[in-house]
Amino acid sequence: MAGVSIRQVNKLYDGAVHAVKDVSLEIHDKEFVVLVGPSGCGKTTTLRMVAGLESITSGEVLIGDTVVNELPPMDRDIAMVFQNYALYPHMSVFDNMAFGLKMRKFARAEIQARVKQAADILGIHELLHRKPRQLSGGQRQRVALGRAIVRHPQVFLFDEPLSNLDAKLRVQMRVELKKLHERLGTTAIYVTHDQVEAMTLGDRVVVMKDGLVQQVGEPLELYNAPANRFVAGFLGSPAMNFVEVRLAERGGALWAEGDGLRIQPLPEQAGRLARLNGGRATLGVRPEDLRIANGSDPEGLCFEADIEVIEKLGAQILLDTRAGSHTIVASVEPTVRARVHDRLRLAINPDRLHFFDAANEAAI
Amino acid sequence: MIEGAAWRKWLFFYLPLAVFVIWLLFPFYWMAITTLRPDGELYRPWNAKNYEPFWTANPTLDHIMLLLEETLFPTWLWNTMLIALVSTLISLVCGVFAGYALARLKFPFAGSLGTGIFITYLVPQTLLFIPLADVIRNFRLGDTPWALILTYPTFLIPFCTWLMMGYFKAIPKELEECARIDGASRWKAMIYIILPVAVPGILSAGIFAFTLSWNEFIYALVFLSSSEQKTVPVGVVSELIRGDVFYWGPLMAGALMGSIPVALVYSFFVEHYVSGLTGSVKG
């Protein structure tokens, strides 16, 4: 077992496309780290550089204490699971799983024992003699996992391994992956574009955009205290509401005034916003931090909005409302009775207000 | 599929199919029937009373006997087989490796090299045989099987390279990457993973190359002169057409027997062959 250090790594394609920019990450032993971001953000390229499938333009990658920049993939003691499974189509499941061990000249008995053990863990014992084309998507994914775990590598690399599965199976495999990691304790780097996978699987989550790391942290840390507007909008479903506001001091208090709403932040937050007095900022509030106002809510935390669409999801109701020129989604109790075109008064949970700098989008 | 009443299916499916089948198979039928027909019937004038062009009442093996006993046909068959097999083998080995390199390895000018190889395939043989004849003479290879074994790859290698390049590109590169992470070098990943997966493509290229060299005419005509060195297409044409006399029976017998090995090769590999041409490797 070993940690992985990525130090100031850059990737340039043909000297022109800068796919990964100065990425630095310390991944500890036994940790499950998820790289997440929209397509083209450099997450897969970063993973492939750790795997040795892409050359590293500058910077260093260490697995354990060894700099692996120049090591071929076979000498890095890693295993990788691909999005399309990449099972060898002409080999049986057993041979697929045994291939890596055969290449490393393991004894026959050892190979048998390891494949059997992995098959038991994954529940694919009865599939060992089938060919990949005779398997369903979920079974193929298990075989691909089995092929990775028989080798007892130092690090697992996952490249969107669940993307080709249907929604239900994806949820199931997500749980199994989590259990598998708890059982084996192998360091894992997992790439996905799906924020739910990232939040549920990762001990820590790395959000990337345009080749840059935006924020690294535990899932709830990222959710509750996003470092910038991108992270705030990327994590969470439905996404955070954003309203462009102007900050102004009125009657000794700082107000955030936008089209259709006026909000008075708590004094502690107002203190941090004071330097922007008279300037612009972006106010962010998650749908679940909005509720229907009652009489006791202070004026500075409420605003009026018209319901445009009602989405009844069962456990909650999403109200797509319009306040001024902004569309604001609120997630409310399923017991709330509301109709389209109703005008209602929404209250904001003041502890959960976010402000972002209008210029550099960093959290304030 | 065609929907609706049964007559629609007959009119729009079976009838056109029958027309195609007859159109395609008639030359072979003509070849076979001419082989079996005695000379008396073959040279009967069209306005004779008992003229019967599509059938024979007295089948005979005379033409085949004449072909086997009075010409060097068995030798030609052997020559053709040897030349086609060896030149196919050479072309396949080169084509597979070159195709792999062009599809997978990143090296400078890979793209233009691929195009260059394709362009050499486009140079017509009817032009190329002139300089090649000079080469053959300088190496003193004229009138030996080597003249053809070494010149056929000039058009077979580009052909195999292009076919294999397309096939290798269709194989997901993750297969190979996974093998390399699993502990295989690039060479081993190719031998254990990529080549077995590419077998349908290799077979298609092989069958095509074999057929092209089996049927090749112009180089064989130019580079071989003595009767015992000739291949079937050249031997049959040069020995059984004397001036303006066409020995139709033995000619057709030679054509028929010359096409049997190719037909056998095709029918033997037909499944692989079709999946090779239509590509696609499913995981």
Side-chain angles (χ1 to χ4, degrees), chain B residues 14-215:
Chain B
Y14 290 116
L15 189 70
L17 185 68
V19 170
F20 267 116
V21 168
I22 292 168
W23 179 262
L24 289 174
L25 289 185
F26 181 76
F28 295 94
Y29 175 75
W30 191 249
M31 197 161 77
I33 202 73
T34 310
T35 303
L36 298 174
R37 193 184 281 265
D39 276 338
E41 277 187 33
L42 272 177
Y43 297 111
R44 191 172 286 161
W46 65 271
N47 52 3
K49 216 174 183 183
N50 50 0
Y51 181 66
E52 184 69 74
F54 299 118
W55 192 243
T56 173
N58 317 298
T60 170
L61 294 177
D62 283 355
H63 299 315
I64 296 177
M65 299 307 288
L66 183 139
L67 186 72
L68 294 179
E69 286 168 4
E70 295 182 28
T71 70
L72 293 172
F73 188 78
T75 315
W76 300 338
L77 207 56
W78 166 249
N79 290 344
T80 318
M81 186 75 82
L82 178 82
I83 290 165
L85 276 179
V86 177
S87 53
T88 298
L89 202 70
I90 294 173
S91 312
L92 262 190
V93 171
C94 297
V96 165
F97 287 117
Y100 178 85
L102 288 173
R104 277 289 195 272
L105 306 181
K106 287 178 192 146
F107 55 94
F109 309 114
S112 37
L113 190 63
T115 316
I117 289 175
F118 186 59
I119 288 172
T120 62
Y121 181 64
L122 296 180
V123 179
Q125 280 169 271
T126 41
L127 279 180
L128 213 53
F129 83 88
I130 302 167
L132 276 177
D134 203 39
V135 174
I136 295 295
R137 202 191 56 222
N138 286 340
F139 284 95
R140 298 177 191 285
L141 293 173
D143 208 23
T144 68
W146 291 104
L148 299 188
I149 289 174
L150 295 178
T151 47
Y152 285 177
T154 57
F155 59 91
L156 294 181
I157 289 178
F159 174 79
C160 290
T161 303
W162 264 74
L163 208 135
M164 290 318 299
M165 187 172 88
Y167 203 84
F168 285 130
K169 275 185 180 166
I171 297 176
K173 69 177 191 316
E174 285 88 352
L175 274 186
E176 205 176 344
E177 291 175 347
C178 195
R180 291 180 60 204
I181 289 175
D182 263 351
S185 58
R186 195 180 261 285
W187 175 256
K188 276 188 175 173
M190 187 174 115
I191 299 294
Y192 289 114
I193 306 296
I194 301 302
L195 289 190
V197 171
V199 162
I202 296 172
L203 278 181
S204 314
I207 290 173
F208 255 122
F210 183 82
T211 316
L212 284 175
S213 31
W214 185 273
N215 293 337

Side-chain angles (χ1 to χ4, degrees), chain A residues 183-309:
Chain A
R183 176 170 180 168
L184 301 174
T186 309
T187 313
I189 309 178
Y190 187 106
V191 162
T192 181
H193 62 266
D194 179 11
Q195 43 115 352
V196 181
E197 264 173 42
M199 301 287 280
T200 51
L201 282 170
D203 294 328
R204 279 192 302 156
V205 175
V206 180
V207 181
M208 292 182 73
K209 183 196 169 202
D210 298 336
L212 288 165
V213 171
Q214 304 290 311
Q215 192 174 5
V216 184
E218 288 173 18
L220 287 182
E221 185 185 331
L222 263 58
Y223 189 79
N224 293 330
N228 59 36
R229 183 176 164 166
F230 174 78
V231 175
F234 190 77
L235 299 178
S237 173
M240 186 183 276
N241 298 297
F242 293 108
V243 178
E244 304 305 322
V245 293
R246 207 157 44 79
L247 298 166
E249 199 173 316
R250 303 204 192 284
L254 191 73
W255 287 77
E257 298 173 338
D259 184 13
L261 81 175
R262 282 179 82 230
I263 302 296
Q264 185 184 20
L266 292 180
E268 190 252 342
Q269 197 160 34
R272 274 178 283 145
L273 288 166
R275 68 182 168 87
L276 291 170
N277 187 5
R280 304 202 146 271
T282 304
L283 181 156
V285 60
R286 292 197 184 277
E288 67 268 25
D289 298 325
L290 288 169
R291 60 189 161 74
I292 310 270
N294 56 40
S296 63
D297 283 312
E299 181 62 25
L301 293 171
C302 295
F303 62 95
E304 304 261 326
D306 296 313
I307 300 180
E308 289 192 318
V309 177

Side-chain angles (χ1 to χ4, degrees), chain A residues 156-175:
Chain A
F156 283 136
L157 305 176
F158 297 97
D159 187 8
E160 309 215 14
L162 305 183
S163 303
N164 284 10
L165 301 177
D166 64 56
K168 199 173 170 187
L169 204 52
R170 202 180 307 156
V171 174
Q172 194 188 331
M173 286 300 291
R174 205 165 72 200
V175 175

Side-chain angles (χ1 to χ4, degrees), chain A residues 48 53 73-74 78-80 82 84 86-91 99-100 103-105 132-133 140 147 151, chain B residues 106 172-185 188-189 192-194 196-197 281-283:
Chain A
R48 289 171 60 84
L53 298 172
M74 57 187 284
I78 49 167
M80 186 155 167
F82 293 86
N84 62 5
L87 299 180
Y88 311 131
H90 59 297
M91 292 185 188
F99 183 77
M103 283 292 121
R104 288 176 158 75
K105 307 248 186 312
R133 67 172 165 276
R140 287 178 197 186
R147 191 169 57 178
R151 295 235 327 271
Chain B
K106 287 178 192 146
K173 69 177 191 316
E174 285 88 352
L175 274 186
E176 205 176 344
E177 291 175 347
C178 195
R180 291 180 60 204
I181 289 175
D182 263 351
S185 58
K188 276 188 175 173
Y192 289 114
I193 306 296
I194 301 302
V197 171
V281 181
K282 297 213 171 100

Side-chain angles (χ1 to χ4, degrees), chain A residues 31-92:
Chain A
E31 198 178 20
F32 199 119
V33 167
V34 179
L35 307 185
V36 67
S39 59
C41 72
K43 57 192 192 295
T44 296
T45 308
T46 306
L47 188 79
R48 289 171 60 84
M49 286 194 285
V50 175
L53 298 172
E54 297 281 353
S55 62
I56 297 164
T57 310
S58 72
E60 273 186 344
V61 173
L62 286 86
I63 297 177
D65 301 322
T66 322
V67 176
V68 297
N69 283 34
E70 302 300 327
L71 280 184
M74 57 187 284
D75 295 332
R76 295 192 180 194
D77 202 8
I78 49 167
M80 186 155 167
V81 178
F82 293 86
Q83 180 176 358
N84 62 5
Y85 322 130
L87 299 180
Y88 311 131
H90 59 297
M91 292 185 188
S92 68

